[in-house]
Amino acid sequence: MKGGEKHPDVSSSLMNIGTIYLETGKVEEGTKYIEKALKLILELYGEPHITLGKIYTNLGNAYRLMGDPAKGIYYFKKGLENNIQLFGMIILKAL
């Protein structure tokens, strides 16, 4: 990616496209877009980042829908770890 392609709003657009694909049953296509969003946010900001929680959750759902619950759980846990790093124990107290 170069130029404007490395803007955070591009990640948001990729996520939105990926989510629509997930919701319409085109899970593998949606996963590709969400993984691109993940790569971009990691490149721009690294971990942790507020957007990563949502990206990891969407990837967890994608892999769950594709019949890979182990990979789904992996991404759900990544999202939880990311959010705990950002927000501390507030999240755990809410559980």
Side-chain angles (χ1 to χ4, degrees):
M1 292 185 177
K2 55 187 166 179
E5 294 176 7
K6 287 194 175 191
H7 191 277
D9 286 350
V10 172
S11 174
S12 179
S13 296
L14 290 167
M15 277 290 298
N16 290 337
I17 293 167
T19 300
I20 289 172
Y21 276 124
L22 292 183
E23 291 172 352
T24 58
K26 298 176 182 174
V27 180
E28 290 181 18
E29 187 69 19
T31 302
K32 290 177 188 176
Y33 280 89
I34 297 167
E35 287 175 342
K36 287 178 185 179
L38 172 63
K39 181 180 177 184
L40 179 56
I41 290 298
L42 288 173
E43 190 176 316
L44 289 172
Y45 303 112
E47 290 186 280
H49 188 269
I50 194 163
T51 305
L52 287 174
K54 183 176 181 181
I55 292 174
Y56 286 137
T57 296
N58 284 349
L59 283 173
N61 281 320
Y63 283 104
R64 179 184 57 82
L65 291 170
M66 287 192 288
D68 192 346
K71 201 163 186 179
I73 289 171
Y74 168 80
Y75 280 111
F76 288 135
K77 286 183 178 181
K78 289 277 292 179
L80 177 61
E81 291 168 8
N82 176 79
N83 291 341
I84 289 172
Q85 286 180 24
L86 285 174
F87 306 115
M89 297 305 289
I90 296 169
I91 291 174
L92 292 179
K93 289 179 183 177
L95 296 175

